[in-house]
Amino acid sequence: MVTVTINHKVYEVEEGSTILDAAASVGIHIPTLCYLKGINEIGACRVCVVELAGKDKLVASCNNRVQEGMVMYTNSPRVREARRGIVELILSQHDCYCSTCVRSGNCGLQRIANDLGILDLPYQRELPVSEWNKRFPLIRDFSKCIKCMRCIQVCDEIQGMHIWNVANTGSRTTVDVTWNRKIEDSDCALCGQCITHCPVGALRERDDTEKAFAALADPDKITVVQIAPSVRAAWGEPFGLPREQATVKRLVAALRRMGFRYIFDTNFAADLTIMEEGSELLEKLGRPEAARFPMFTSCCPGWVRFLKSQYPDMVGNLSSAKSPQQMFGAVAKSYYAELLNVDPKRIYSISVMPCLAKKDECAQKVLNDAGVGQDVDLVLTTREIDRMIRAEHVLVSELEEEEFDMPLGVGTGAAVIFGTTGGVMQAALRSAYYLATGENPDPDAFLEVGGMQGWKEASFRIADRTLRVAVVNGLGNARRMMESIRTGRTTYDFVEVMACPGGCAGGGGQPITDGAEFAQVRGEQLYELDKENTLRFSHENPAVLGAYRDYFEKPLSQRSHKLLHTQHKKWECPLSPYLERNRSDEAY
């Protein structure tokens, strides 16, 4: 510890800590726009400057460290004047139409400008303009970018994708897609981490809420909506609901109040995925000479885009099982249409997902196996459904809980943990053990592959074989694992990969709280829901068993293959510019 004086008071703070962290440790807030601990500590915005006694120049608090006897002022007249001037300059190149911004009320720049009492600008406003494909799931608004570099650092340091970089020089400096590409031609995985770490509204998802409202208003459409596992752990955050109150059943009530016809749980399809994927794994293990190992999970479309763009020769290792979202869409327009006795063309399938890549996934031309257009018509992020709830003036805190519709509203605890890293693997192992032995394991026997660690390995004895597995979250970790597999340093039978750190709980479509990471908290909530569930094995889901009995016959049946599996090689995705261009078409 060292002794420092902050704003005329003496404190003991940790030696070697930054001024920013030291001040925070004693309850003193220093505003900042660009800072992300351990990721972006470059002092680019200069908003966090402080005054040090004996120093002529103000210093950035985010990358200067405390020293014994240091005397500092975090909000002196000199600091306030400098900070105000810096923010005014930023605002002079910023689209300040806050009422039409997706981040209004949740914007770092807006908050700091309000705190500083900035009511007008002394500078002429010059807004940068650039074209962008508004049909792409990821939208960038150049007129809102504050050049904080967060998106670059998150994409480079955490995800290892290098999609963003600095373009131009001087006052024309901005952030743009690398290699002088258009975003739709890039190898962006659509993980959305750049969005969740942007302090302003320069990056956002393509807004599809008007399409959803139009479907709700169309009397000829039967709206069928599914809610992903991780959404239940996050949707209530923007409303200030305590986590114990922001239940999925209260979200069901909100959606029903808005006019959605049938409301189901993606957990049903997650359990269905386990039945298909687990059976596929056991089939491959039974004929290893004809199979490719490791088998990769295929639930995460961000991971699928990554694999196709970075390692196209290994796409054949993906499980052919569709993601739960796509399985549900196919089921809704086939099996469920028969249960309703309606024309499947009338069903309009909507997903509420924590993810941007799901918007791209549902549009893939190959995912139309029910034969009435795309199996999933529309994907809304958690943020979008929250905006729709606000637009409908639904007071969620006053709603009573309501149940999902049946039969596709039944899900198990194994399906709930699909929403966090390691959950798919645990769910798969629970059912694979049963399918191989005829007995249920302890549902908590595979907790070793849980947790926030970026790359986890484990071995489990199932029947007469030892299964070697790995679980990875975050694309930077995925790349390290892939290189290890390709060079032969590691060998696995089964691998789960989630594109986002922490899995879907930290997805790019989840609510944003600037400077806070909630993936672990949300993931822990999903594990609690698993433990509270009376059903903890996918193979015990009565609705899934009923669907096999009445429609699909069994896992990997002919109808199952048609509706619940896909050919990933037919997905469209640009190659990484780092790959050799002379790869044969057959390789990918």
Side-chain angles (χ1 to χ4, degrees):
M1 307 296 286
V2 294
T3 302
V4 298
T5 302
I6 308 177
N7 300 338
H8 308 289
K9 290 190 68 174
V10 178
Y11 298 97
E12 293 281 319
V13 299
E14 187 176 347
E15 183 180 11
S17 61
T18 64
I19 295 172
L20 185 69
D21 287 341
S25 71
V26 295
I28 297 173
H29 173 69
I30 300 174
T32 180
L33 280 171
C34 69
Y35 178 75
L36 285 175
K37 188 173 180 63
I39 301 171
N40 199 42
E41 301 178 354
I42 59 177
C45 70
R46 313 304 293 175
V47 171
C48 71
V49 292
V50 297
E51 182 177 359
L52 301 183
K55 298 288 185 180
D56 293 334
K57 296 181 179 180
L58 302 179
V59 301
S61 61
C62 67
N63 57 9
N64 281 280
R65 304 193 178 279
V66 294
Q67 297 177 8
E68 176 67 36
M70 182 178 280
V71 177
M72 65 192 81
Y73 307 95
T74 66
N75 205 35
S76 66
R78 187 180 169 202
V79 168
R80 283 198 304 272
E81 180 183 4
R83 191 171 289 152
R84 185 184 181 94
I86 290 166
V87 174
E88 287 174 342
L89 284 169
I90 293 173
L91 291 172
S92 72
Q93 290 188 328
H94 183 76
D95 176 357
C96 296
Y97 296 104
C98 296
S99 59
T100 57
C101 180
V102 72
R103 292 291 295 274
S104 183
N106 185 25
C107 169
L109 178 60
Q110 184 184 49
R111 182 176 61 253
I112 291 172
N114 290 341
D115 290 347
L116 289 168
I118 297 176
L119 302 179
D120 53 45
L121 292 179
Y123 306 109
Q124 180 179 349
R125 186 172 293 153
E126 297 180 0
L127 301 182
V129 178
S130 187
E131 293 183 358
W132 194 264
N133 182 356
K134 295 300 178 64
R135 296 185 301 274
F136 196 69
L138 173 64
I139 304 296
R140 174 171 166 74
D141 188 338
F142 287 78
S143 67
K144 288 184 170 69
C145 179
I146 61 171
K147 309 171 185 61
C148 67
M149 312 304 173
R150 281 189 185 184
C151 57
I152 297 175
Q153 295 290 73
V154 167
C155 192
D156 288 0
E157 301 300 322
I158 303 300
Q159 299 297 72
M161 292 301 293
H162 309 285
I163 301 300
W164 306 108
N165 208 343
V166 175
N168 302 323
T169 58
S171 63
R172 298 179 297 112
T173 299
T174 188
V175 174
D176 208 341
V177 183
T178 52
W179 295 79
N180 199 30
R181 298 172 291 176
K182 294 181 179 180
I183 187 65
E184 62 268 27
D185 298 327
S186 76
D187 53 327
C188 174
L190 287 171
C191 67
Q193 293 302 304
C194 55
I195 296 177
T196 57
H197 290 84
C198 177
V200 294
L203 290 161
R204 62 175 175 85
E205 71 273 34
R206 183 188 68 222
D207 184 78
D208 290 322
T209 58
E210 286 305 313
K211 293 180 181 179
F213 279 125
L216 290 172
D218 189 339
D220 292 329
K221 284 188 170 67
I222 300 172
T223 52
V224 174
V225 63
Q226 57 170 306
I227 301 173
S230 64
V231 171
R232 70 203 64 211
W235 75 274
E237 291 168 6
F239 300 103
L241 288 179
R243 295 193 181 275
E244 62 273 11
Q245 189 178 357
T247 63
V248 71
K249 292 182 180 181
R250 190 159 277 112
L251 177 56
V252 169
L255 298 186
R256 198 164 277 137
R257 183 75 61 89
M258 294 162 64
F260 286 97
R261 185 77 172 273
Y262 296 105
I263 304 167
F264 294 122
D265 199 339
T266 309
N267 285 359
F268 164 84
D271 286 327
L272 197 60
T273 301
I274 288 302
M275 295 300 290
E276 295 294 324
E277 197 171 65
S279 298
E280 182 184 3
L281 175 63
L282 291 177
E283 184 183 78
K284 288 186 175 184
L285 291 171
R287 48 179 184 85
E289 70 286 347
R292 298 180 63 172
F293 290 98
M295 188 178 94
F296 295 128
T297 58
S298 52
C299 302
C300 172
W303 151 241
V304 173
R305 282 182 63 90
F306 172 87
L307 192 65
K308 285 187 67 65
S309 67
Q310 314 297 316
Y311 302 94
D313 55 308
M314 295 190 72
V315 171
N317 290 62
L318 282 167
S319 164
S320 66
K322 291 178 180 177
S323 71
Q325 165 182 273
Q326 294 304 139
M327 281 196 185
F328 191 98
V331 168
K333 293 189 176 184
S334 57
Y335 171 57
Y336 190 62
E338 284 194 12
L339 291 179
L340 289 180
N341 194 26
V342 300
D343 184 347
K345 292 180 181 178
R346 292 187 59 201
I347 290 181
Y348 193 80
S349 178
I350 301 175
S351 305
V352 181
M353 295 284 141
C355 178
L356 266 71
K358 292 289 184 185
K359 288 177 179 281
D360 175 74
E361 179 187 39
C362 80
Q364 291 294 330
K365 296 176 182 178
V366 70
L367 295 174
N368 58 357
D369 297 298
V372 284
Q374 294 301 113
D375 292 334
V376 174
D377 296 290
L378 190 68
V379 171
L380 301 170
T381 62
T382 313
R383 293 191 295 270
E384 285 176 286
I385 203 65
D386 283 345
R387 292 202 296 273
M388 289 184 69
I389 291 171
R390 287 188 186 280
E392 288 289 280
H393 306 290
V394 177
L395 300 179
V396 291
S397 61
E398 298 182 6
L399 294 175
E400 296 293 328
E401 293 184 337
E402 295 183 16
E403 299 291 337
F404 283 106
D405 289 297
M406 292 295 149
L408 311 186
V410 180
T412 69
V416 169
I417 57 176
F418 258 63
T420 186
T421 176
V424 175
M425 179 63 71
Q426 290 183 61
L429 291 174
R430 290 178 192 179
S431 288
Y433 188 98
Y434 172 80
L435 293 171
T437 67
E439 298 179 356
N440 282 340
D442 180 341
D444 296 324
F446 309 109
L447 289 176
E448 188 177 343
V449 296
M452 290 291 291
Q453 186 180 343
W455 178 1
K456 294 153 284 191
E457 301 173 323
S459 295
F460 299 103
R461 190 73 180 172
I462 296 180
D464 59 347
R465 70 173 69 247
T466 298
L467 200 65
R468 297 161 299 175
V469 302
V471 171
V472 174
N473 67 99
L475 292 177
N477 293 318
R479 190 182 299 278
R480 285 186 280 276
M481 179 204 66
M482 290 299 295
E483 292 300 325
S484 181
I485 291 173
R486 295 188 73 152
T487 57
R489 295 196 301 274
T490 53
T491 56
Y492 307 111
D493 298 303
F494 191 31
V495 174
E496 174 206 308
V497 183
M498 294 287 186
C500 295
C504 302
Q510 296 280 50
I512 300 170
T513 301
D514 193 25
E517 302 285 354
F518 288 138
Q520 182 169 352
V521 175
R522 295 166 184 159
E524 290 170 353
Q525 183 178 353
L526 296 178
Y527 276 112
E528 286 301 316
L529 292 174
D530 169 35
K531 290 180 180 179
E532 294 169 5
N533 204 311
T534 54
L535 296 171
R536 299 189 66 188
F537 298 93
S538 296
H539 55 269
E540 293 182 348
N541 184 325
V544 169
L545 296 176
Y548 279 117
R549 181 186 64 245
D550 300 335
Y551 196 76
F552 291 106
E553 184 184 352
K554 62 180 181 179
L556 306 184
S557 69
Q558 184 175 353
R559 181 172 278 178
S560 293
H561 268 295
K562 173 177 170 52
L563 292 173
L564 308 180
H565 293 255
T566 188
Q567 297 184 51
H568 292 291
K569 291 184 179 181
K570 292 186 177 181
W571 284 34
E572 298 177 356
C573 184
L575 282 175
S576 165
Y578 297 98
L579 288 174
E580 296 177 359
R581 296 300 185 181
N582 61 355
R583 291 180 183 270
S584 67
D585 290 341
E586 193 173 281
Y588 53 89

